Amino acid sequence: MKTAYLILEDGTVFKGKSIGAEKEMISEIVFNTSVVGYLETLTDPSYSGQAVCMTFPVIGIYGVCKEDMESEKAYASGFIVRELSETPSNFRSEGPLQDFLKEQGVTGICGVDTRALTKILREKGTMNGMITTKRPDLAKVLPKIKAYSVLGVVKNASCKEKFTVAPTGEGKGTG
């Protein structure tokens, strides 16, 4: 894995290893305190335009089971974890999280002190950040990071066409 950097708009830099898609990414940085459900988080449309920091220390343990996805694709722009489990340990797993991130074009970083990052975000509020494999020149990247604005998320997260879901089971809404 290549060295990667997470740069926050306040100038804080975290060093780690690149996971997922190897491309530079700027987005809003948020955190999630779930113990399980990283796949649901990645595929939740409400995270469109955001990079999600998972506070649980090891992510990827049970791999990827597409049946657990909230939608048909990943919406999160980036993924930040302390430790990535590279070998899934679940009979339902269809593959490792690392492969899913690459397939979905999600840029990520592991090896980050997610507790420190979460503390910064709790104290200073949500802020923009960049994940990159290039050694950062703060004078050049900070203005780009600060200028970023989350745009088009409703359009990005909305259905392209209307559809109807037929009721199933008891109480089909006939009363």
Side-chain angles (χ1 to χ4, degrees):
M1 286 189 254
K2 285 185 177 179
T3 298
Y5 302 92
L6 168 63
I7 305 125
L8 300 179
E9 69 179 73
D10 70 353
T12 303
V13 178
F14 291 90
K15 185 177 177 182
K17 298 290 181 191
S18 175
I19 59 173
E22 287 188 20
K23 62 182 181 181
E24 190 170 276
M25 181 275 323
I26 298 176
S27 72
E28 190 175 58
I29 309 296
V30 298
F31 65 89
N32 181 298
T33 59
S34 299
V35 175
V36 296
Y38 53 82
L39 185 62
E40 291 86 341
T41 298
L42 283 164
T43 58
D44 183 339
S46 70
Y47 286 109
S48 184
Q50 298 176 321
V52 182
C53 168
M54 300 299 289
T55 60
F56 191 74
V58 182
I59 300 294
I61 296 169
Y62 53 85
V64 171
C65 176
K66 294 190 176 169
E67 185 179 323
D68 296 338
M69 292 172 59
E70 293 292 311
S71 57
E72 294 180 2
K73 67 175 189 167
Y75 281 92
S77 302
F79 204 52
I80 305 159
V81 301
R82 172 72 187 124
E83 183 179 338
L84 177 70
S85 176
E86 295 183 47
T87 306
S89 178
N90 185 308
F91 71 96
R92 295 177 64 230
S93 177
E94 297 169 29
L97 178 58
Q98 166 76 338
D99 291 351
F100 179 79
L101 294 172
K102 285 180 182 176
E103 289 167 13
Q104 295 290 313
V106 177
T107 303
I109 184 171
C110 70
V112 170
D113 183 344
T114 55
R115 291 184 305 171
L117 174 57
T118 301
K119 188 174 179 182
I120 290 168
L121 296 174
R122 286 181 63 110
E123 290 174 358
K124 296 183 177 181
T126 299
M127 63 177 80
N128 293 338
M130 170 189 279
I131 299 173
T132 181
T133 56
K134 298 174 185 166
R135 186 169 209 85
D137 178 344
L138 294 181
K140 289 182 180 178
V141 299
L142 285 178
K144 287 176 27 179
I145 295 170
K146 289 177 183 178
Y148 175 80
S149 181
V150 180
L151 298 172
V153 293
V154 173
K155 182 179 179 183
N156 183 42
S158 296
C159 299
K160 306 300 178 221
E161 297 178 24
K162 291 190 273 184
F163 65 94
T164 302
V165 177
T168 61
E170 292 183 39
K172 294 182 182 180
T174 59

